[in-house]
Amino acid sequence: MSSERSSLTKADVDRANLLEAELMGFDQGNITEPAREYNSQSSNTMQENGVDLQKVFAGNVRKVMQDNVKRKGDKEILNRVLKEIEMISAKRMSEGLNQWNFSFGVFNCFFIVYIFGAHPEHLWLVYLVEGMYMIPRKFYNMWHAKPLNQALYYLDFCWSMNFTAFALILLLVFSGVVAHDEGLVSDVARKSFFNAMMGVACGTLMGANIVLPFVACMFHDVNTMTGLFIHLMPPMVMYTFMWHSAEIKEHWPYIFHLTYLEGLKYFPEEGIFFTPGDGLDSVAGSSVALYFLWWIPYVCFQLLIGIDLPKKIKDDGTPAKPVWDTVFHSTMRQGLCITLGKVFRGRSKKDSIALCMENDFDLIDFFIYMICHLIAAMAAFYLIGYPCFVSQEFHLFMIIFVTWLVVARGAKRYTYYTTKMYARVLRQHFADHFS
C-alpha cells in the first residue's frame, strides 16, 4: 500500500480529492454523474500508475458515507441546541426581557437619581406613586407563579415594613390634604412613626441590600426591580427626611411637620442595650419594638401552618399537592439549608439537598433561621442605622455603596444571560453526544 501511495502523482491526488468532493452527493448507493464521468476518464491513468482503482473508489465512498452519518448526527444536535436556545429566549422574553421594558427600567433609574439629587423634597412622592404600581404588579406575577404561589412572600419583614411606610404616608396625606385636619395624627404619633421607620430603613433594609444576593438591578424585570425598590428606596427617602427636612417642610407643610427632628435621639436613656419595649422615645427603641411586632406574629404563622405549606410529602408519607411557598422555604432552597445544616447541625450536603427537594424543613431549621434573622436585624440597627443617623456623609456613602453592589449583581446576571447561559446549553448537548 505504501508503494501505491508513493506512485501517486499530485495530479492523481487532486483527482482523488475531486472525486471525494463529488461523492458528497452520494445518496443510497447512487454516485453523482460528475463522479461517474471522472471515474471513466481517469481510470486508465490511475491503473497505469499501479493504483487499484476499486480500492481507491471504495475507500472514498466509505469516507463519504461516514462523513454523511456524522453530519446527520451533528445536524440533530444543532437542532436540539437551537430549540433549547429558542426556549430559553422565549422564557426571558416572557419575563420582560425586551427593549421597551429595558429602556423604561433604565430611564426610571435615571429619573429617581435625578429627583434624589435635584429635588429631594419630592422623593417621597416618587416612592409612593411608583410603589403603588410596582408592588401590585409584582403581586400579580407572584400569584401566578409556578410551580408554587408566591403571594405569601409579602408576609416577610421587608415587604411588611414597606406596607407600613405606605400606610403611614397615605395617612399623613389624608390628614393634611383631604381631611385638612393636621391634628388627626398627633406630633407624638408622628415622632414614634418616624423613629421606627428611621431605624428600619437605614438599618435592616439598608443591610438587606448587602446580604441578599437576589437584590439586583435588572432593568427589564419588574419582579427584580420591585425587590430592589423596597430595599433601596426607603433608605433614600429617609435620607431626604433626615438631611433635607427644610425643603420638605417648605413644599409640603400640611403633610410633614418634622418639628421633632431636632430632639431625636437614637438610643434610649437606659443606654445602648435595653429590653425590647423600652425606650420607645428613641429610634432604636421604636425600631426594635416594630421588629418584634412583625417577628412574633410571623413565627406564630409559620408554626401553625406556614412551615408545612410547601411540603411535597405529608407526615403520613403520602404525596401532597402544595400550592403556597414562603420566603423561609425559598431562602432555604437557595443554599441556606446546606450552610445551616453544615454549621449548626452536622448534616451532610446530600441530606440537605434532599430536604430542599421536598421542602421538608423541621422546626429546628426554622428557629435557627429566625434567630439568625433576629441577630442580623439587631446588628443592622447598631452597625448601619446609628452611623447613618449621626453622619450625613456615611448615610450617603452607604446608599452609593449598595447602589454599586446591586448594579454589579445585575451586570453579572446580564453577562450570564448573554454568554454563559447559552454556552452551558451547548456544552450540555455536545457532552451528551460525545459521551
Side-chain angles (χ1 to χ4, degrees), residues 367-386:
F367 276 110
I368 293 175
Y369 170 86
M370 292 305 300
I371 291 174
C372 290
H373 193 289
L374 173 64
I375 294 174
M378 296 300 111
F381 290 145
Y382 285 84
L383 300 179
I384 303 177
Y386 179 66

Side-chain angles (χ1 to χ4, degrees), residues 130-304:
E130 292 201 5
M132 294 178 68
Y133 164 75
M134 298 179 71
I135 291 178
R137 172 71 182 277
K138 179 177 173 64
F139 183 80
Y140 175 85
N141 295 338
M142 294 166 69
W143 185 269
H144 294 88
K146 300 295 181 182
L148 295 175
N149 187 307
Q150 300 174 356
L152 295 179
Y153 285 12
Y154 275 11
L155 298 180
D156 195 55
F157 178 77
C158 298
W159 291 105
S160 299
M161 294 303 101
N162 276 267
F163 296 148
T164 303
F166 289 139
L168 294 176
I169 293 176
L170 289 174
L171 177 60
L172 295 179
V173 171
F174 176 81
S175 66
V177 177
V178 180
H180 300 288
D181 182 7
E182 300 177 44
L184 184 64
V185 183
S186 67
D187 285 342
V188 174
R190 290 170 183 263
K191 180 179 178 181
S192 298
F193 294 152
F194 187 90
N195 281 338
M197 297 312 301
M198 165 64 198
V200 167
C202 298
T204 310
L205 296 183
M206 184 83 85
N209 288 287
I210 300 174
V211 301
L212 298 180
F214 57 80
V215 179
C217 188
M218 302 289 291
F219 301 109
H220 74 280
D221 187 354
V222 66
N223 290 341
T224 304
M225 289 303 288
T226 305
L228 172 62
F229 179 86
I230 68 162
H231 290 96
L232 186 54
M233 278 296 285
M236 294 175 65
V237 172
M238 194 54 63
Y239 177 92
T240 64
F241 279 109
M242 285 291 299
W243 311 111
H244 296 277
S245 58
E247 295 97 311
I248 295 176
K249 286 190 292 184
E250 179 183 355
H251 286 83
W252 307 99
Y254 300 111
I255 299 177
F256 303 107
H257 296 174
L258 303 180
T259 55
Y260 41 80
L261 289 181
E262 295 296 332
L264 287 184
K265 54 184 179 180
Y266 196 85
F267 294 110
E269 296 179 356
E270 293 83 350
I272 61 173
F273 300 108
F274 53 91
T275 304
D278 293 339
L280 296 180
D281 59 339
S282 66
V283 172
S286 298
S287 302
V288 170
L290 181 60
Y291 178 82
F292 277 99
L293 286 176
W294 167 84
W295 194 87
I296 295 174
Y298 187 78
V299 169
C300 294
F301 160 75
Q302 287 287 358
L303 294 178
L304 292 175

Side-chain angles (χ1 to χ4, degrees), residues 148 153 302-303 305-313 315 324-341 345 347-370:
L148 295 175
Y153 285 12
Q302 287 287 358
L303 294 178
I305 58 173
I307 197 169
D308 293 327
L309 288 177
K311 281 187 178 180
K312 296 182 179 180
I313 304 296
D315 293 336
W324 306 94
D325 198 10
T326 73
V327 168
F328 162 67
H329 293 84
S330 175
T331 306
M332 293 291 282
R333 290 195 303 268
Q334 292 174 11
L336 186 61
C337 177
I338 297 174
T339 302
L340 295 184
R345 309 194 63 180
R347 188 168 57 209
S348 68
K349 182 177 180 180
K350 180 180 179 181
D351 291 339
S352 294
I353 292 176
L355 294 177
C356 293
M357 295 296 292
E358 303 296 335
N359 278 322
D360 189 14
F361 309 111
D362 59 21
L363 293 179
I364 297 179
D365 286 329
F366 174 68
F367 276 110
I368 293 175
Y369 170 86
M370 292 305 300

